Amino acid sequence: MTANPLILGTANLGLGGGGREAAFNLLDTYLELGGTTIDTAAIYSDWVPGEIGRSEALIGQWMAARGDRDTLRIVTKGAHPRLDTPTVGRCDRASIRGDVELSLKRLQTDRIL
C-alpha cells in the first residue's frame, strides 16, 4: 500500500450537524480522493458529554460497512491523561495496553499503524 501524504484528522468526527451520515460521507470522500491514512485517538471527542470514543467508534463502523480495511492506515494514540484528572500521568504499561485494546475494539480491527 502506498501512503498518500495527506492524513485525515478525526478529532471532531461525527460531532455537530450530520452525525454518523456526515462522518461516513467525509470518510468516503477522503478515500475517493486517494486518502489512505486516518488519524484518531482514544480520547477524541471525550470532551463532549456522552461522546466518549466517538471518533474511533465511527471509523470502526465505517470500515466494517465499507469492507476496505486493507486499503487504510489507521493511526491512533493513547495514554492521554483523563479529562477529569489531567495531572495524573498514564504513560505506564497497563494504561497504554488498556488504551490500545479499547482502540482496537472501537475500531473493529486487529491492527493499528
Side-chain angles (χ1 to χ4, degrees):
M1 165 183 12
T2 303
N4 185 305
L6 297 177
I7 298 172
L8 179 65
T10 61
N12 293 313
L13 188 68
L15 298 175
R20 183 175 188 247
E21 184 178 346
F24 277 35
N25 287 338
L26 174 68
L27 293 164
D28 286 339
T29 300
Y30 175 69
L31 194 63
E32 289 166 10
L33 293 173
T36 58
T37 305
I38 299 172
D39 170 75
T40 189
I43 199 170
Y44 282 2
S45 81
D46 287 5
W47 51 86
V48 179
E51 298 294 342
I52 303 298
R54 184 174 181 91
S55 175
E56 289 184 333
L58 283 170
I59 294 166
Q61 293 166 18
W62 174 74
M63 287 191 301
R66 300 306 188 256
D68 57 7
R69 172 63 181 97
D70 291 335
T71 66
L72 300 168
R73 294 175 186 223
I74 306 299
V75 179
T76 193
K77 300 161 294 295
H80 297 90
R82 300 281 183 226
L83 297 177
D84 58 344
T85 55
T87 61
V88 177
R90 297 187 62 253
C91 288
D92 58 276
R93 184 180 180 99
S95 294
I96 294 168
R97 180 176 296 278
D99 284 354
V100 167
E101 289 173 359
L102 183 57
S103 291
L104 290 170
K105 182 178 178 180
R106 287 177 178 158
L107 290 163
Q108 300 180 46
T109 189
D110 60 350
R111 65 196 180 282
I112 50 180
L113 185 62

